Amino acid sequence: MGSNVLPIHYDPKTVKQLTKEITVASCIGAAQGALFSIATALLLRRFSSVYKNVRTQVRVFYHCSWISMGAVFRADKQLLKFQTNYYREEQKRREKILDEAAERGLFLEDESLNSSRSTT
């Protein structure tokens, strides 16, 4: 286990791209959660006697819950999308390496594909 080879998902460029995508998705989700919480709070204030009588702290908690839920769900959805795209690109890269090797008459195993990726 003395190997210093890190998996590709530790690549600083990949991490930076993922961080950017999750940050944007979180902000969008938070805005959607805020819009939903405001709309439902207005409806609750009009039609619910319970909501009319709750303290301000409960109302703030209600809004914070929807905002954070929107951010988390949107960020998770973006993470799944990023992973799918990442693995699709990785599969294309591996197929390209195998095709190039086949054209040259070489045989490559899956382990050699992984080691060639970590050295480049």
Side-chain angles (χ1 to χ4, degrees):
M1 292 280 174
S3 174
N4 290 334
V5 177
L6 294 174
I8 184 62
H9 60 274
Y10 284 97
D11 178 36
K13 194 166 87 173
T14 305
V15 172
K16 185 177 180 178
Q17 179 185 358
L18 177 60
T19 303
K20 180 182 174 189
E21 288 184 23
I22 287 179
T23 302
V24 170
S26 296
C27 292
I28 292 170
Q32 289 174 331
L35 287 173
F36 185 81
S37 71
I38 291 168
T40 55
L42 292 172
L43 290 171
L44 285 170
R45 184 172 281 195
R46 180 173 172 114
F47 297 110
S48 172
S49 60
V50 174
Y51 188 81
K52 286 179 193 175
N53 297 321
V54 295
R55 298 175 71 169
T56 303
Q57 291 90 339
V58 175
R59 291 182 184 155
V60 169
F61 176 75
Y62 178 79
H63 291 290
C64 289
S65 298
W66 278 110
I67 292 168
S68 61
M69 226 176 10
V72 168
F73 286 144
R74 188 60 102 122
D76 187 54
K77 185 177 178 180
Q78 186 62 36
L79 175 62
L80 294 174
K81 185 177 172 183
F82 181 85
Q83 285 177 325
T84 302
N85 291 339
Y86 175 79
Y87 288 119
R88 187 180 308 123
E89 291 299 319
E90 180 66 15
Q91 189 63 33
K92 286 179 186 176
R93 185 192 67 79
R94 288 178 183 213
E95 288 173 5
K96 181 181 174 188
I97 289 173
L98 287 174
D99 290 343
E100 289 174 0
E103 288 174 4
R104 287 187 245 145
L106 299 173
F107 173 74
L108 296 176
E109 293 184 25
D110 197 30
E111 289 101 26
S112 65
L113 288 176
N114 289 335
S115 65
S116 71
R117 177 64 174 183
S118 61
T119 59
T120 56

